[in-house]
């Protein structure tokens, strides 16, 4: 019998514990972007499921660099428990709503921290550190049952 940590499904939490040998904690980051439903491209009032802060109410300070946000978020978690592995989670607003060059810059800043083992954003992608590099895969809706929600792929 496979140990799914007491759940009737194989969660990302269980997968990461198995892969990295310990619980992996999320660092909520703000890449400084907005959203097409707020900037006038598609609308200006946002989505019904987002707060006024773009559902990034607990994310790092968008006025600070990604490495600074990571250091601060790690410090907060490490004050509570010994934590060694992290997910760099770009949470606020639409964190792929920027030029590719900017996204590459901030994503590379996030993964430059050796304790960051997963890179994730709210927009259907997931990256997992594997064999010295990162890989990315976009899930199809029928793969997850979550309408295209991202999955980690250790390819």
């Amino acid at each position: 019998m496979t140990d799914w940590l007491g759940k009737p499904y194989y969660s990302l939490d269980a997968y990461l514990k198995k892969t990295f040998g310990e619980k992996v904690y999320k660092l909520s980051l703000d890449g400084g972007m907005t959203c097409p439903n707020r900037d006038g491209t598609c609308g200006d009032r946002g989505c019904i499921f987002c707060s006024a802060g773009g559902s990034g109410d607990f994310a790092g300070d968008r006025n600070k660099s990604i490495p600074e946000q990571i250091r601060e978020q790690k410090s907060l978690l490490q004050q509570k428990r010994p934590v060694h592995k992290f997910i760099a989670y770009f949470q606020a607003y639409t964190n792929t709503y920027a030029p590719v060059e900017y996204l590459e810059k901030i994503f590379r800043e996030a993964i430059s921290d050796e304790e960051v083992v997963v890179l994730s954003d709210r927009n259907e992608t997931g990256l997992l550190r594997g064999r010295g590099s990162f890989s990315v895969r976009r899930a199809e809706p029928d793969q997850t049952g979550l309408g295209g929600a991202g999955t980690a792929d250790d390819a």
Side-chain angles (χ1 to χ4, degrees), residues 29-72:
L29 308 173
D30 188 329
M33 290 159 260
T34 184
C35 172
N37 291 312
R38 290 181 184 266
D39 73 359
T41 301
C42 297
D44 59 8
R45 297 185 306 160
C47 300
I48 70 168
F49 50 83
C50 274
S51 67
S55 294
D57 303 311
F58 301 102
D61 181 346
R62 70 178 22 221
N63 297 310
K64 295 185 177 179
S65 71
I66 297 306
E68 287 176 298
Q69 290 182 54
I70 287 174
R71 279 191 298 278
E72 288 178 0

Side-chain angles (χ1 to χ4, degrees), residues 6-18:
K7 296 177 182 165
Y9 56 91
Y10 193 33
S11 67
L12 179 61
D13 180 48
Y15 173 80
L16 293 175
K17 279 184 183 176
K18 179 180 176 195

Side-chain angles (χ1 to χ4, degrees), residues 23-154:
K23 182 163 178 61
V24 180
Y25 288 83
K26 192 183 296 183
L27 303 172
S28 296
L29 308 173
D30 188 329
M33 290 159 260
T34 184
C35 172
N37 291 312
R38 290 181 184 266
D39 73 359
T41 301
C42 297
D44 59 8
R45 297 185 306 160
C47 300
I48 70 168
F49 50 83
C50 274
S51 67
S55 294
D57 303 311
F58 301 102
D61 181 346
R62 70 178 22 221
N63 297 310
K64 295 185 177 179
S65 71
I66 297 306
E68 287 176 298
Q69 290 182 54
I70 287 174
R71 279 191 298 278
E72 288 178 0
Q73 294 278 325
K74 282 170 61 173
S75 176
L76 289 171
L77 285 169
Q78 290 170 332
Q79 288 174 23
K80 297 177 183 179
R81 62 188 52 90
V83 181
H84 306 98
K85 304 276 189 236
F86 300 93
I87 300 169
Y89 178 57
F90 286 86
Q91 182 173 7
Y93 298 100
T94 303
N95 275 294
T96 54
Y97 192 56
V100 169
E101 297 78 20
Y102 177 74
L103 296 174
E104 181 177 9
K105 175 189 175 291
I106 65 170
F107 291 169
R108 286 191 181 279
E109 288 175 349
I111 64 175
S112 69
D113 186 304
E114 286 299 314
E115 293 180 313
V116 171
V117 295
V118 177
L119 176 65
S120 178
D121 66 61
R122 290 180 31 176
N123 296 300
E124 304 179 5
T125 58
L127 294 111
L128 177 66
R129 188 182 300 269
R131 299 186 205 113
S133 64
F134 277 82
S135 59
V136 66
R137 178 175 154 236
R138 178 173 291 275
E140 297 300 323
D142 60 331
Q143 290 176 301
T144 63
L146 299 173
T151 59
D153 176 28
D154 191 11

